[in-house]
Amino acid sequence: MAQTRDPILVPDISEHEIVLRQGFTGADLLLFGAILDPRGGRAQGQYDVVVVLKGPSEQIRLREKERWLGLIWVNAESSDFRSVPSYYALASSRPIDDIVDERTALIFELGLDYLQLSPSGSIDPNEQARFTAGLVDLRQRQGLFAEYETGVQVSEGVLYRARLPIPSNVIAGRYVAETFAIADGRVITSATSEVQVFKEGFERRVEEEANNNALLYGLLAVGLSVLMGWAAGRLFALV
């Protein structure tokens, strides 16, 4: 009896390089591709498609503020996270909860509710859940975390496409786009593509100096701030 073979994904991205120049206001990234039978032609069956784009991971310390004596805001409790994607966006052909169960979503990190942010330190689980929800909410308000239900369009069960916005405040680095073909609640196959986000020109030189000569860069920044403050004071004094 002939064995059935899993389909293959052939993904691509509209831009494999994004340059963060001065005045960069963001971009739209088109992720598209096809679901094919390994023997040729269109794959048999109906598939849901989920596309996830992740930026470089960061270590984050999230601090909670509280009002002291009802007068001023001060730092209170904090929580550390070892592996937070600097950018995370998901688009799917249907709502994730209609496509896979919770266990599968956790394994593949399909959705903001299923991100593995690697909290560190000893903290009450309820408090940790509160900090995690706060971090996700903060990144959503910054435009760095997003989830688009029905954001993937599938044509004739073969071609798929999705658009994901890249905000102006993303960081430079290697971004990985992973596409999943899912049937009957099971990930049948997946494929990855990469996008390089980098700076060039003056912005790149500033970043390199900040990384390679941190002390000198810090002194220069402080000196420039003092100079600008003095110049502004003199200007207003003459008005």
Side-chain angles (χ1 to χ4, degrees):
M1 183 174 62
Q3 293 182 341
T4 59
R5 300 177 65 184
D6 291 336
I8 59 174
L9 277 168
V10 183
D12 205 351
I13 305 179
S14 58
E15 298 180 66
H16 288 274
E17 292 184 348
I18 296 176
V19 182
L20 303 179
R21 299 186 178 90
Q22 185 176 6
F24 175 73
T25 59
D28 277 338
L29 203 62
L30 175 64
L31 299 95
F32 59 95
I35 309 170
L36 301 176
D37 189 292
R39 293 164 296 188
R42 59 176 293 175
Q44 300 299 311
Q46 296 294 318
Y47 299 94
D48 281 296
V49 176
V50 179
V51 176
V52 176
L53 180 63
K54 286 184 182 180
S57 294
E58 304 175 299
Q59 292 185 355
I60 296 292
R61 170 166 291 180
L62 188 66
R63 296 185 181 277
E64 186 177 54
K65 291 185 179 293
E66 64 179 21
R67 194 179 292 276
W68 182 69
L69 297 179
L71 299 174
I72 60 174
W73 290 98
V74 297
N75 289 330
E77 297 184 23
S78 65
S79 180
D80 294 324
F81 297 86
R82 295 191 302 271
S83 181
V84 179
S86 57
Y87 173 87
Y88 176 95
L90 175 146
S92 53
S93 53
R94 290 190 294 153
I96 288 296
D97 292 341
D98 294 341
I99 298 176
V100 294
D101 59 22
E102 183 175 337
R103 179 175 177 274
T104 302
L106 280 169
I107 291 173
F108 294 99
E109 295 186 283
L110 301 180
L112 296 175
D113 292 336
Y114 304 106
L115 281 178
Q116 307 299 310
L117 303 178
S118 303
S120 61
S122 58
I123 188 171
D124 179 78
N126 292 328
E127 288 293 299
Q128 188 63 70
R130 185 166 61 86
F131 272 102
T132 299
L135 176 58
V136 171
D137 178 67
L138 176 63
R139 287 293 172 94
Q140 283 183 290
R141 286 187 280 113
Q142 293 171 336
L144 295 171
F145 280 9
E147 188 171 339
Y148 304 97
E149 295 183 346
T150 69
V152 176
Q153 298 177 337
V154 182
S155 302
E156 303 296 329
V158 178
L159 304 176
Y160 70 87
R161 55 182 290 159
R163 286 189 180 276
L164 296 178
I166 306 298
S168 59
N169 54 338
V170 294
I171 67 171
R174 172 177 170 267
Y175 288 62
V176 177
E178 190 162 14
T179 304
F180 302 88
I182 301 171
D184 299 323
R186 185 170 68 93
V187 175
I188 303 299
T189 186
S190 64
T192 59
S193 302
E194 292 187 6
V195 180
Q196 293 293 334
V197 178
F198 60 93
K199 297 179 180 180
E200 66 176 19
F202 177 74
E203 290 80 7
R204 182 175 182 178
R205 289 196 295 272
V206 170
E207 183 179 47
E208 289 176 348
E209 288 299 321
N211 293 329
N212 299 330
N213 301 292
L215 178 59
L216 180 61
Y217 177 81
L219 292 174
L220 181 62
V222 171
L224 184 60
S225 298
V226 172
L227 178 62
M228 292 181 67
W230 175 83
R234 295 292 297 171
L235 178 62
F236 282 108
L238 295 174
V239 175

